[in-house]
Amino acid sequence: MTLNAFALIILAGLIHACWNIAAKKAGGDSRFAFFTSALMMFFWAPLGWWLGRDAVPLWGAVEWGFVVASGVLHVLYYVILLRGYRVADLTVVYPLARGSGPLLSSLVAITLLGEQISALGALGIAGVVGGVFLIAGGPGLLRAAHDPAARERVHKGIAYGLLTGAFIASYTVVDGYAVKVLLMSPILIDYMGNFVRVGLLAPVVLRDLPTARTLWLAQWRFALLVALVSPVAYVLVLYAMQQAPMSHVAPAREVSMLFAALIGGHLLGEGDRLARVCGAVCIAAGVTALALG
């Protein structure tokens, strides 16, 4: 992995952790997903037009097919993530989603796309996954909680975290193929996907406009923050994918857990601090191994 790609991933990780904390605090649902997608579509329109005015007319059915597939997968990922945040703790859902997604992405990249990974890189993946597991609660996740309500909350967090991770792996592979093989612009595939996301989510908002208006007044600040910064984080990752193997970039994204452990854990008061610190150390070591391997 090049130093430039590594720096892109570190910056993306910090941004990603921050917008997930904002999404958690918003407590939104599919309508919040619509708000953020619509704001992204309007705010980033000048950049989308500037980059797309020459490139988009040249796209064929294959390119548009990847845009649609990416948009659908991102909608499913985001809606499930938000639902997980409403019923469980961020320090359970987020680590499991971030840990299982890259693991699946790397396995697909190695087995189906023919990418190679060294023994050190493999140890790096193991370090990232192990660190995420510790931040999520470690062995305590495998033991039944004494409080039935707490146990159910943890179990829901695990289920939504793993399901979110599966969609993370899916859109990572789709978008990674688009930028690496089809040579599509990382910015354009993310921006044009907004139109797909808005179209899919609009019926949820139109079904009950008074409620949507009430939610908008309560959540617009969080939605605006997510709309402004989340595309930056993901586009940085896509650019990193153009410079380094997907099987290295996907797990390295989990450096965001280091920032989530230090920032999110403090702001939300969730989880065990010692486990989060140990998990962050494992993630840092794993990311370093990936960068060297």
Side-chain angles (χ1 to χ4, degrees):
M1 186 183 296
T2 65
L3 182 60
N4 187 46
F6 188 62
L8 290 175
I9 293 170
I10 294 295
L11 179 58
L14 175 60
I15 297 172
H16 194 276
C18 291
W19 80 251
N20 270 267
I21 293 169
K24 166 66 176 176
K25 292 180 72 68
D29 55 12
S30 299
R31 286 161 288 201
F32 182 79
F34 173 85
F35 300 153
T36 56
S37 296
L39 287 170
M40 287 179 202
M41 188 173 66
F42 286 110
F43 182 83
W44 294 104
L47 180 60
W49 174 82
W50 179 261
L51 295 176
R53 56 180 180 169
D54 295 324
V56 172
L58 300 178
W59 285 358
V62 173
E63 286 81 3
W64 281 111
F66 270 84
V67 169
V68 172
S70 175
V72 171
L73 290 172
H74 275 275
V75 164
L76 294 172
Y77 146 75
Y78 196 27
V79 170
I80 292 171
L81 177 69
L82 292 174
R83 186 172 299 175
Y85 283 163
R86 292 199 309 274
V87 301
D89 293 338
L90 176 140
T91 46
V92 174
V93 177
Y94 186 77
L96 289 173
R98 301 312 313 168
S100 57
L103 179 61
L104 293 171
S105 300
S106 298
L107 292 176
V108 170
I110 293 169
T111 58
L112 298 183
L113 301 183
E115 293 188 358
Q116 301 296 318
I117 189 168
S118 66
L120 184 59
L123 287 175
I125 292 178
V128 170
V129 174
V132 168
F133 176 67
L134 286 174
I135 290 177
L141 288 176
L142 305 178
R143 297 193 298 266
H146 295 297
D147 182 2
R151 181 173 64 247
E152 182 180 1
R153 187 173 181 83
V154 171
H155 288 173
K156 287 182 178 179
I158 293 173
Y160 279 107
L162 293 177
L163 185 57
T164 302
F167 283 109
I168 290 175
S170 299
Y171 75 64
T172 299
V173 171
V174 168
D175 293 349
Y177 186 90
V179 301
K180 289 176 72 70
V181 179
L182 301 180
L183 302 181
M184 297 176 68
S185 165
I187 294 176
L188 283 180
I189 191 169
D190 184 65
Y191 178 73
M192 297 305 291
N194 277 311
F195 292 91
V196 178
R197 295 191 279 269
V198 168
L200 291 174
L201 294 167
V204 179
V205 174
L206 296 175
R207 191 179 303 130
D208 188 354
L209 286 175
T211 300
R213 188 178 299 109
T214 301
L215 292 174
W216 165 256
L217 293 175
Q219 299 171 350
W220 72 266
R221 293 176 180 82
F222 296 111
L224 180 61
L225 175 61
V226 174
L228 293 180
V229 304
S230 64
V232 176
Y234 190 56
V235 167
L236 290 176
V237 170
L238 293 180
Y239 273 114
M241 285 184 185
Q242 289 184 324
Q243 304 174 32
M246 189 190 306
S247 54
H248 288 193
V249 173
R253 292 183 66 192
E254 302 332 295
V255 71
S256 63
M257 281 313 308
L258 206 160
F259 301 117
L262 299 175
I263 302 173
H266 174 72
L267 292 177
L268 301 174
E270 299 173 358
D272 179 73
R273 288 187 179 273
L274 179 60
R276 286 202 304 271
V277 171
C278 291
V281 170
C282 288
I283 290 171
V287 170
T288 302
L290 280 168
L292 297 175

